[in-house]
Amino acid sequence: MIDNFQVYLAVGVILFCLGLLCVMTRKSAISVLMGVELILNSAALNFVVFSKYTAGNLLGQGAAIFIIILAAAEAAVALAIFLNLYRTISTAEVNRADQLRG
Amino acid sequence: MIDILIQAIFWLFVVLTVGSAIVVVFSKRIIYSAFALLFTLIGVAGLYVFLAADFLAASQMLIYVGGILTLIIFGVFLTAKIYGMTIPDQAHQRYLALLPVAGFAAVLIHVLFSADWNLLQSTAEPTTENLGKLLLTTYLVPFEVASVLLLAALIGAMRISRPREEDDDR
């Protein structure tokens, strides 16, 4: 009998690995950012699952709230950097950004 | 009967989350990835509802779907020359990368299905009030640090994304 608990964890694992794959293989910086969002989502999901099924308190949900806050801050700063990168080298591909001074 | 229905909706959200995450990774166009990410985030919000985390589900919808995804779609359009909505994005060495990642996933899934978990029987109850108390007691210092961090990210993002000052002088 498969419990829902393990299904949640499996979804977390799959999301994490897909995010990892996205970060490793994508060229566009925006796609890399989407991979990071997948990874952060899987981490938050794991916190909530363990908070419900093994801890029995809300501390994990608090941690998930901070993950969402950090993801918002990170997305804003990352997109600002990508816009600047695009303005400097006219592309947002991560393997073209190989100069320290543009 | 109602249990079967609930279980069916649960599996619907699982399939929605995983399926659209696969589209995010393997789609050839960034804009398709961005819209597939929308369904992944909605699926995770649905899973939060099943985990009795109602406040988190609402914040996931508001912050991720309403905020971060909008930012990402803006980013897609602002960092590409648009020719009829087909912004391609190549992937390189995908099959080489797939091998270690799939192995890692297989090990983790094997561990989580074979481990002997000591589970609690918990009941679902509204979490918003208790989360609010938690944020102002146990998590008070991280809460304040997070507000400073958000302010710093706001100012930093504005500073970075503006043109440089020597560009203004010309």
Side-chain angles (χ1 to χ4, degrees):
Chain A
M1 176 62 195
I2 298 176
D3 200 0
N4 273 357
F5 169 71
Q6 282 148 339
V7 177
Y8 288 121
L9 288 187
V11 170
V13 168
I14 293 169
L15 279 187
F16 177 81
C17 288
L18 285 172
L20 204 60
L21 197 63
C22 200
V23 171
M24 289 200 294
T25 61
R26 288 295 199 146
K27 271 186 181 169
S28 159
I30 309 270
S31 299
V32 173
L33 180 65
M34 289 189 224
V36 174
E37 300 296 344
L38 284 182
I39 291 177
L40 288 170
N41 254 291
S42 80
L45 184 66
N46 260 23
F47 267 113
V48 179
V49 172
F50 281 113
S51 127
K52 178 170 187 244
Y53 280 98
T54 64
N57 56 30
L58 287 176
L59 292 175
Q61 291 197 21
I65 288 181
F66 287 110
I67 290 176
I68 294 178
I69 293 173
L70 287 181
E74 169 252 333
V77 175
L79 282 167
I81 291 173
F82 297 160
L83 288 186
N84 219 348
L85 181 71
Y86 182 71
R87 197 181 296 133
T88 310
I89 63 171
S90 299
T91 179
E93 292 184 1
V94 280
N95 53 351
R96 296 271 301 280
D98 50 4
Q99 285 180 329
L100 283 180
R101 179 171 168 73
Chain B
M1 181 58 205
I2 196 83
D3 285 346
I4 297 173
L5 192 65
I6 289 173
Q7 197 68 10
I9 297 173
F10 169 73
W11 280 102
L12 189 75
F13 274 113
V14 169
V15 170
L16 179 76
T17 309
V18 174
S20 50
I22 289 172
V23 176
V24 170
V25 180
F26 291 104
S27 163
K28 283 197 172 61
R29 294 174 184 170
I30 301 183
I31 196 74
Y32 290 178
S33 292
F35 280 104
L37 188 65
L38 168 74
F39 291 103
T40 308
L41 298 175
I42 289 176
V44 173
L47 291 181
Y48 284 156
V49 172
F50 278 96
L51 286 165
D54 46 358
F55 179 75
L56 265 181
S59 351
Q60 168 97 0
M61 290 299 282
L62 280 175
I63 299 175
Y64 264 108
V65 181
I68 294 177
L69 199 72
T70 316
L71 267 181
I72 285 178
I73 291 174
F74 261 106
V76 171
F77 285 133
L78 288 178
T79 59
K81 299 181 179 68
I82 304 168
Y83 299 114
M85 301 283 282
T86 56
I87 303 158
D89 180 27
Q90 299 95 1
H92 54 123
Q93 299 181 336
R94 171 169 285 161
Y95 298 102
L96 195 65
L98 196 58
L99 208 66
V101 170
F104 183 58
V107 169
L108 281 183
I109 286 181
H110 173 74
V111 166
L112 74 90
F113 278 109
S114 60
D116 184 21
W117 301 99
N118 187 15
L119 298 185
L120 297 173
Q121 288 299 322
S122 55
T123 53
E125 52 189 35
T127 58
T128 311
E129 185 186 346
N130 292 330
L131 261 181
K133 282 178 186 159
L134 197 68
L135 278 180
L136 289 178
T137 53
T138 312
Y139 280 133
L140 180 62
V141 175
F143 181 70
E144 296 295 336
V145 171
S147 40
V148 175
L149 175 94
L150 281 177
L151 182 66
L154 184 74
I155 297 172
M158 281 199 302
R159 176 70 188 83
I160 293 171
S161 61
R162 281 189 55 187
R164 290 186 198 133
E165 277 162 22
E166 62 258 40
D167 294 343
D168 291 343
D169 295 339
R170 280 178 216 149

